Amino acid sequence: MEKRVRVRFAPSPTGPLHIGGVRTALYNYLFAKKHGGDFILRIEDTDQERFVPGAEEYIIEALKWCGIEPNEGVGFGNGPYAPYKQSERKAMYGQYADQLIKAGFAYYAFDTNEELDEIRERMKAAKGTFSYNAITRQNLKNSLVLPEEETKKRIANGDSYVIRIKLPRNEEVRFQDAIRGWVQVNTAQMDDKVLYKSDGMPTYHLANIVDDYTMKITHVIRGEEWLPSAPLHVMLYRYLGWESSMPQFAHLPLLLRPDGNGKLSKRDGDRLGFPVFPLNGELLDTKTQKPEKFSGYREAGYYPDAFVNMLALLGWHGAGNQELYTLDELVKEFSLERVSKSGAKFDPEKTKWFNQQYLRKYSDAELADAMMPILEGKNIKKDKVFVMEFCRLIKEKAHFINEFYDLGSYFFSAPTTFDPKVIEKKWNENSKPLYTKLNEKLTASSDWTNTAIQKTFEDAQAEFGKMDMQLLRVLLTGVAGGPQLFDMMALLSKEECTKRISAALVSLK
RNA sequence: GGCCCGUUCGUCUAGGGGUUAGGACGCGUCCCUUUCACGGACGAAACACGGGUUCGAUUCCCGUACGGGCUACCA
């Protein structure tokens, strides 16, 4: 029988979850759903120094907003393998470290940070690099070279120590990545990574393997930054005797900054004016130790499904030309084979386009329902019929519903200034009498529908001479662009329109 | 520096031994339009380079260049 698919998203609570992380979570979610499996959220908080309060809650809220909820894990209910937070699983890692030591696959190391740093400095000065490996470990302070008595004594004394993996000197490690194919590294290029820290916590490497194994994870889908440590993980599975149940690896391409080179970062968002995070928030910055604010897609006005659709297409593409996918469609179509190998530069313009596509799917009534509270927040009272028509007229121009008001504020208040470019070009000494007559005719008209207004306008032209529609638009709204003129006038009402024209004619010389 | 991964229009990508190298964003032109927008049509725009293999390579192999990642008792 095929094993039930189980995947996990395993972020560290060291800061806000950035969109690269959201995409990793999304691909895990899609893969799990596609195969009818489980999607687990595990919090990897083995680094107590970089722990940021609130980060975990942020991650949970972000996944909820995106609609890609784990069915098991921190914040989403315990499954059979709880707890899902590594700090709460602390007790179980030690035994595996001991197991490795007993089997001769790991050893105690007593070198202090200062000592190792000193060696690194020296090697650097000599244009070399230091690696704690099969060769160098023979000259360092560890249980491989120290007499057994000495090791025991040091441990009994409470001396600080770490546990390192004991890698062979020269051996090829191979594994098959679902996205990249065979990847091969020689252990001579690897170093004896610390598995167990002197503070009694495991490092990522040990905890990750132990958790994936004990949680019966079948596929590890994570960012490309983990590719270099994958061989180490393979060795750990082997040494722990778990190689036959080792998960399939899949290393996702990175999200790159839109301009220049490098990984997408918070700074790029600040600099280029687009969010790099799903939600607004404020969390402690681990570097500066000060709270830092950051902005998110939710508050920028994005629909979660548009945001998710956009992220899905950044590094993955279906078989055809389709670009707009519902979550269900993504689940159906998704496969790791169709994930690209190369990094994707993030494109804020296309991201907006996605939202626009989703915006247009909503009916005017639905848009009005979303618009009413925004207007109320500005102390504007309009009935729903008015707001619906407003939405119908304004939506073609917008990418976001939160742009509606700024795009059409003149629907709610008369203009006080008039686009100087249009006035300069089109306003002349004949304008005032001409538009005064038009206004009289409009005032006298009995029918105020789109077509009736148009007819009145045309009749007035036949009678008094040619009039410019854009100029009339500016008289009414103050700005050069906007929705269809007569539709707009119809909505605004006769009283409002004629009042505005009069006012404009007074203020224009 | 070392190791690993990658490279198709500006960007996201489809494709894959023989194609007019397809789509989307953005950009431009035109049509519609006395305004505005949507829409429609069209257009400019790419296989990093050099060697192989082959009748034929953008596609396979090798190098080079370039880009990225990793190189912590961080994940």
Side-chain angles (χ1 to χ4, degrees):
Chain A
M1 199 186 98
E2 272 291 286
K3 262 195 290 183
R4 180 181 176 83
V5 166
R6 287 174 59 80
V7 298
R8 84 296 193 282
F9 177 54
S12 312
T14 53
L17 179 63
H18 119 327
I19 54 176
V22 177
R23 195 200 52 176
T24 301
L26 172 63
Y27 284 11
N28 272 283
Y29 173 90
L30 296 175
F31 187 80
K33 298 298 158 193
K34 163 105 187 180
H35 297 283
D38 299 317
F39 173 44
I40 293 135
L41 176 65
R42 184 171 72 219
I43 299 292
E44 308 220 328
D45 56 347
T46 51
D47 186 353
Q48 293 155 330
E49 289 190 8
R50 294 204 312 156
F51 177 81
V52 172
E56 186 183 307
E57 290 72 16
Y58 181 90
I59 292 165
I60 294 166
E61 198 188 342
L63 294 180
K64 283 183 177 166
W65 179 67
C66 292
I68 50 172
E69 300 199 13
N71 53 309
E72 205 176 302
V74 179
F76 296 94
N78 283 342
Y81 306 99
Y84 293 89
K85 206 185 287 190
Q86 289 183 331
S87 58
E88 292 169 12
R89 301 168 68 79
K90 192 175 166 184
M92 68 185 295
Y93 302 113
Q95 67 178 101
Y96 294 107
D98 289 343
Q99 181 190 325
L100 288 170
I101 294 222
K102 285 203 186 82
F105 293 133
Y107 56 91
Y108 299 103
F110 302 97
D111 320 88
T112 63
N113 263 326
E114 293 69 36
E115 288 167 345
L116 293 176
D117 283 345
E118 202 194 305
I119 300 173
R120 286 193 187 99
E121 286 300 309
R122 232 188 303 136
M123 291 296 289
K124 206 174 168 189
K127 296 213 158 127
T129 39
F130 170 71
S131 169
Y132 208 118
N133 59 25
I135 296 166
T136 59
R137 69 189 175 216
Q138 294 168 26
N139 302 312
L140 290 156
K141 267 186 248 166
N142 54 61
S143 58
L144 264 19
V145 289
L146 261 22
E148 201 180 328
E149 285 308 305
E150 169 80 7
T151 299
K152 277 184 181 157
K153 209 173 83 187
R154 278 174 180 257
I155 291 171
N157 272 353
D159 280 14
S160 181
Y161 69 88
V162 300
I163 296 175
R164 287 180 182 271
I165 189 169
K166 186 185 170 194
L167 253 20
R169 182 164 172 173
N170 179 11
E171 196 176 295
E172 295 294 340
V173 187
R174 266 159 70 83
F175 69 96
Q176 197 170 29
D177 186 280
I179 294 166
R180 285 152 214 286
W182 284 103
V183 177
Q184 180 171 329
V185 181
N186 193 294
T187 54
Q189 309 297 339
M190 300 161 60
D191 55 357
D192 288 354
K193 279 271 179 294
V194 172
L195 302 178
Y196 207 77
K197 299 186 268 189
S198 57
D199 65 358
M201 284 293 258
T203 59
Y204 167 84
H205 303 292
L206 210 222
N208 189 265
I209 270 63
V210 168
D211 288 346
D212 282 348
Y213 174 76
T214 55
M215 292 180 181
K216 298 206 166 18
I217 298 302
T218 56
H219 299 261
V220 169
I221 304 167
R222 71 218 315 189
E224 195 186 350
E225 69 268 28
W226 294 109
L227 194 50
S229 48
L232 173 74
H233 300 163
V234 172
M235 290 305 281
L236 276 171
Y237 280 103
R238 188 174 300 167
Y239 286 170
L240 255 2
W242 301 337
E243 202 169 6
S244 60
S245 50
M246 185 170 80
Q248 160 96 249
F249 290 105
H251 290 94
L252 268 20
L254 262 18
L255 257 35
L256 273 16
R257 62 211 299 187
D259 62 339
N261 313 117
K263 251 201 311 196
L264 186 63
S265 73
K266 177 179 186 302
R267 285 193 181 283
D268 300 312
D270 296 343
R271 188 168 50 85
L272 272 13
F274 64 88
V276 177
F277 302 99
L279 321 171
N280 273 9
E282 181 172 0
L283 290 173
L284 208 63
D285 184 284
T286 44
K287 275 211 183 91
T288 61
Q289 285 298 310
K290 284 184 191 144
E292 262 206 67
K293 284 199 170 83
F294 47 89
S295 62
Y297 281 85
R298 182 176 63 186
E299 289 77 6
Y302 282 84
Y303 292 115
D305 41 5
F307 174 66
V308 164
N309 193 157
M310 173 281 292
L311 276 183
L313 272 284
L314 227 46
W316 173 87
H317 199 279
N321 281 331
Q322 186 177 350
E323 290 197 295
L324 265 16
Y325 289 91
T326 63
L327 234 205
D328 285 345
E329 287 172 330
L330 285 172
V331 167
K332 219 171 278 168
E333 294 276 320
F334 187 79
S335 75
L336 291 173
E337 290 69 40
R338 297 197 65 87
V339 173
S340 342
K341 293 180 173 68
S342 50
K345 283 191 180 174
F346 183 75
D347 183 356
E349 282 308 312
K350 185 131 191 193
T351 303
K352 285 185 191 168
W353 175 83
F354 272 105
N355 202 259
Q356 185 182 42
Q357 299 306 305
Y358 278 79
L359 181 70
R360 290 181 182 176
K361 289 182 179 175
Y362 288 96
S363 69
D364 298 327
E366 287 169 319
L367 293 173
D369 285 337
M371 195 64 210
M372 297 293 274
I374 297 176
L375 292 175
E376 273 159 31
K378 294 181 189 295
N379 263 318
I380 295 167
K381 290 201 174 23
K382 288 285 181 187
D383 60 46
K384 186 163 171 191
V385 177
F386 183 96
V387 178
M388 266 176 70
E389 179 65 0
F390 164 75
C391 289
R392 182 181 80 83
L393 294 177
I394 214 78
K395 71 177 175 188
E396 297 300 339
K397 311 169 62 74
H399 289 83
F400 305 98
I401 196 156
N402 63 13
E403 291 176 330
F404 281 21
Y405 179 80
D406 288 338
L407 249 21
S409 60
Y410 45 78
F411 275 99
F412 308 101
S413 53
T416 50
T417 58
F418 304 92
D419 188 321
K421 270 193 201 140
V422 176
I423 296 301
E424 193 190 326
K425 205 166 134 193
K426 297 183 167 169
W427 183 262
N428 56 45
E429 62 281 5
N430 298 326
S431 303
K432 199 166 209 164
L434 205 52
Y435 286 88
T436 303
K437 284 175 189 156
L438 170 68
N439 208 21
E440 283 162 7
K441 214 166 176 68
L442 288 169
T443 308
S445 68
S446 56
D447 195 0
W448 197 256
T449 61
N450 170 325
T451 47
I453 301 165
Q454 180 166 4
K455 183 158 190 315
T456 307
F457 180 74
E458 279 161 5
D459 290 349
Q461 284 198 113
E463 213 171 314
F464 314 122
K466 185 161 164 53
M467 284 177 251
D468 188 276
M469 278 177 81
Q470 195 180 31
L471 192 51
L472 177 57
R473 172 186 292 282
V474 171
L475 260 31
L476 285 159
T477 69
V479 294
Q484 213 288 332
L485 183 58
F486 300 118
D487 277 345
M488 188 175 72
M489 290 175 73
L491 178 60
L492 238 26
S493 85
K494 183 168 101 173
E495 291 66 34
E496 182 65 22
C497 287
T498 51
K499 204 172 85 189
R500 286 189 185 188
I501 294 170
S502 303
L505 291 173
V506 168
S507 67
L508 288 167
K509 292 281 167 293

